Amino acid sequence: MAATPLVAQQRPASQPVPAGQAQPAPAQAGPAQPAQQTATRKARKPGEPSEVDVCYGMTGASAEGKIEACTDVIDNGLASGGALALAYLHRGMSWKGPDSDKRSKSDFRTAVRMYNDAVMAQPLNPHLYIQRGVVHQTIGEADRAIIDYSDAIRLAPRDTLPLINRGVVLYTRKDNNEGAIADFNSALKINNKEISAWTNRGIVYRKKGDVNQAIADFTTAIKILPEKIQPVSLTIVPDSVTSQLAKSPQQEANRIALQAAFVHFQRGLAWYDKNDYDKAIADFSESIRLNPRDGAPWVGRGAAYMYKNDLKQAIADFTESIRLAPGQAFAHMQRGIAYHRIGDSDNALADYTAAHELTPKDPNPLVNRGIVYYTKKGKFEEAVADFDLALKLNPKEVNALINRGVTWRQRNDPDRAITDFTEAVRLGLQTSEILKLTQKDKDGKKDPAAAQTADQVANAYYQRGMAMIDKQEYEAAVKDFEAALEINDKEPRAYLGRGATYLKMDKTEQAVADLDRAIELAPGMAFAYFERGAAYHRIDNYDKAIADYTASIEIDPKEPLAYINRGMSKIFKDRIDEAIADFDAALKISPDDINGLIQRGFAYGLKKDYPRALADIDDALRLSPGNPTALYYRAQVMAFRGDAGRAIEDYTQAVKTDQKNPRIYASRANLYSNLGEYENAIEDLDQAIRLRPRDANLYLNRGIAYFNKSDYAKAVSDYDEALKLDPKMSPALNNRCLTRAVMGSNLEGALADCNEVLKLVPNDPYAHDNIGLINLKMKQYDKAIAQYNLSLQTDPDRARALYGRGLARARNGQGPAGISDMSTASGIQPNIAEEFKRYGVN
């Protein structure tokens, strides 16, 4: 069963209202004066925007278009003074490609120099300081921008623009939220209908975590706007919501529409923070209606649809956002998560790869891509490589450690998994510190950063507990689940993990209480039923497992893993056709799910439909070449088909790429035993026991191999080990009983073993056969006949019971009846006489 993926889902990003766009200063600063056009310039058609409009971003032109227009403005003298400086600024912001940084810096320096000259000429003109401040702000010189805005405020104390712009710089560049709020408050005292002040103050409150106040500010801004606002005209689109260059009613209408679109977008983000996704979608939709060419609200709405589990609509929104604004790492990341959740692993990988290429220093796309590799593609090496790279970028990336640990678990390497989970716990705070930091303050709030750390540490404890279950270290597992619950006593997965452990420890009452508590904490959540089903699956309670997987499917019918696990449980109940139907359902949802293909192939193998079985498993190997799980199951099918040589080849190939998987060694050992190659079987079981030293079944099987090669002392030793691990293991008791009987040195001990079996499994025919053998060796023929009779009541055609009874009868004076029994037994099992000769009875 694959682990629940830890997809690093992100929230949509906010952004400030653009600072007052740098515009030419008013008339006293020297407005733009058209110069005489050169003969080479094209005449403009009526209604066609001017080069100045295109340069200043009033037409929605591309970067190349802006560069061409700004160059025309600069080279042909179409502007002067502040307007010319503005052309340099816009061209500087538009350069792309080789040497773009050098060109941009040159244009920015020219713009600053021109504003410096203008300020020197008119030192009391506040608008020039505002414009120079915008240039400094645009090129990242926050301190100089603040100085310019402060000078403008001193010169024009009733002007709101420099206050708003300084506030924006304070919270975006200086992380001075309180100073920003003070500036926005001052602007609102001057003009309480200043929409930009309300909007920016709302953004700062949201940044501070006061979402309710943020929503109140955004709502106030929306109320100030006109009631009916038409969408932005697609012919002339100003870049800025604070444009001062409106030359027509349409441009003014566009300015208002852009302003409204932006504030609705911001309020949508705030509703999203409150998990009120319906209201968020309504605001994002209004933002899209007003300005459909802005990619941001498409991303926001897509993220909201994600949380409503409307993944197809989410993908459509992210796709539109990427079409409008290519190169958005966040949009690719979110669309990748949506594809991931619907099982479209190829598109998910493509989007995570695009996000990684766009932001190569961000570990999150690598973490998510790694998750797809190991959960959907079975490509463990690629997954580990991604987690390794994520940790190289950020050695404290806890999600990478946790998921790498889960990958090691999938590779049957619990020790390395535990190392990663332990490091994740270490990197997080200690439990006691977390408990202090996550306590609510006097306002009833928790520190979000501390809460996130707490979640990560609790998850690391949970995952380490699951790895401890893999190692059969159940006491340690319980301690880890309890550590997770100490951090968050309402985490259902920790109860599920502890419940599963208690099941393994035969603490049924405590187990059921934990498993039921998990369901109470996650009512209507598919994963809770799924994990409880997995817990019952692990202890072979397939009826309860099937019931829980069914409940999970009813809640979330689009999760392929639930169908796969239910199908696997049905196989153990010999409901093969129903299992195949479940695998079909999983593959309909996710056609390239290799686990679905492998399990369906195995089910067909059980039905002896070998062509279909091999076709499915070969498809899985085509999707994931060398996949050890696929090779393992193909070996199983080959063994069913009677092709032992091919089966051993596949087991051997599987173990080369999955050297720490005890199941492969154990299965190959079983095949070697069937072929009579007991030395090879014992070597494989040695490896399996080294990897899983607390698995009683492995000692039992090695004991059987030693018995078959007549090494009875080692066989008894292995049965002893099995019974230390599982004192109620009836096959080990039966086999030790038989082996002691064959050795003849401890017949009383042998008899005690078989009697213990009959307490555990009344009327067990193997126990009666073995007691009959002991009675034969003790020359208690009447007792032997009685035991064999009890065995034959269960199965009248048991060759061992018939032959043993025949021997007892023959030695008890019932020669003809004895010969008849032995003859009948030989007809059923021709080598039965040789078997009893090995037991020391002729």
Side-chain angles (χ1 to χ4, degrees), residues 289-428:
R289 182 189 73 81
L290 291 166
N291 184 18
R293 295 204 298 184
D294 183 6
W298 292 97
V299 175
R301 193 173 73 174
Y305 277 126
M306 285 265 286
Y307 277 95
K308 285 177 65 68
N309 211 34
D310 189 345
L311 300 177
K312 288 186 178 179
Q313 183 60 55
I315 289 169
D317 278 355
F318 294 136
T319 300
E320 181 63 12
S321 173
I322 292 167
R323 186 189 70 79
L324 290 167
Q328 297 183 78
F330 180 84
H332 278 290
M333 183 75 165
Q334 294 302 305
R335 190 173 68 176
I337 292 169
Y339 279 130
H340 189 156
R341 286 173 56 186
I342 66 171
D344 188 343
S345 53
D346 290 329
N347 275 320
L349 288 173
D351 269 333
Y352 292 146
T353 299
H356 169 58
E357 290 171 351
L358 290 164
T359 54
K361 294 184 178 180
D362 181 1
N364 285 316
L366 290 164
V367 173
N368 281 17
R369 189 172 69 179
I371 291 170
V372 176
Y373 277 136
Y374 82 80
T375 60
K376 301 294 185 182
K377 292 292 191 180
K379 295 184 176 181
F380 300 113
E381 291 182 6
E382 289 86 344
V384 169
D386 271 349
F387 300 138
D388 287 347
L389 182 53
L391 288 164
K392 185 176 180 181
L393 292 170
N394 179 10
K396 296 182 179 181
E397 180 53 59
V398 173
N399 276 335
L401 279 166
I402 291 173
N403 278 286
R404 188 172 68 180
V406 174
T407 307
W408 292 131
R409 279 192 63 215
Q410 297 298 302
R411 290 299 305 271
N412 303 290
D413 194 343
D415 291 322
R416 290 174 94 172
I418 288 168
T419 299
D420 275 346
F421 299 142
T422 301
E423 178 65 6
V425 169
R426 189 192 69 79
L427 288 173

Side-chain angles (χ1 to χ4, degrees), residues 499-695:
T501 311
Y502 282 145
L503 285 176
K504 287 287 191 180
M505 297 170 76
D506 290 327
K507 296 183 178 181
T508 306
E509 188 174 339
Q510 292 164 278
V512 171
D514 270 353
L515 296 171
D516 289 347
R517 176 63 176 149
I519 300 296
E520 290 173 12
L521 289 169
M525 298 297 287
F527 85 90
Y529 288 97
F530 176 89
E531 294 292 350
R532 189 172 72 173
Y536 284 124
H537 191 135
R538 289 189 191 100
I539 61 160
D540 305 335
N541 190 334
Y542 301 115
D543 289 325
K544 285 191 175 181
I546 289 167
D548 275 339
Y549 291 140
T550 299
S552 175
I553 289 166
E554 287 172 353
I555 296 167
D556 182 8
K558 296 180 180 179
E559 174 49 61
L561 193 55
Y563 291 98
I564 293 170
N565 278 21
R566 187 173 71 174
M568 292 169 68
S569 290
K570 287 177 178 177
I571 283 177
F572 285 104
K573 296 294 291 183
D574 202 27
R575 293 156 59 180
I576 309 300
D577 288 331
E578 292 179 39
I580 289 172
D582 274 342
F583 302 139
D584 287 344
L587 291 164
K588 185 176 181 181
I589 296 166
S590 181
D592 289 344
D593 192 305
I594 62 169
N595 289 319
L597 287 165
I598 290 168
Q599 293 302 329
R600 188 173 68 179
F602 179 63
Y604 278 128
L606 292 171
K607 285 173 64 71
K608 299 184 179 180
D609 188 344
Y610 302 123
R612 278 182 166 180
L614 294 173
D616 272 347
I617 297 174
D618 287 344
D619 275 346
L621 286 165
R622 176 180 53 79
L623 293 166
S624 180
N627 183 278
T629 304
L631 288 166
Y632 170 83
Y633 277 100
R634 191 170 70 180
Q636 298 276 76
V637 172
M638 291 296 182
F640 295 159
R641 197 173 69 168
D643 192 342
R646 286 285 304 280
I648 288 173
E649 286 179 13
D650 275 343
Y651 283 136
T652 302
Q653 190 62 34
V655 87
K656 285 181 180 178
T657 54
D658 194 1
Q659 297 178 7
K660 296 188 176 182
N661 189 336
R663 184 174 62 165
I664 302 174
Y665 290 107
S667 294
R668 188 171 65 176
N670 184 57
L671 186 54
Y672 278 135
S673 285
N674 291 339
L675 295 170
E677 298 180 22
Y678 301 120
E679 288 292 347
N680 286 335
I682 289 167
E683 286 181 12
D684 271 348
L685 287 163
D686 288 344
Q687 291 295 325
I689 288 169
R690 179 181 61 81
L691 294 166
R692 196 170 172 81
R694 290 179 177 82
D695 191 330

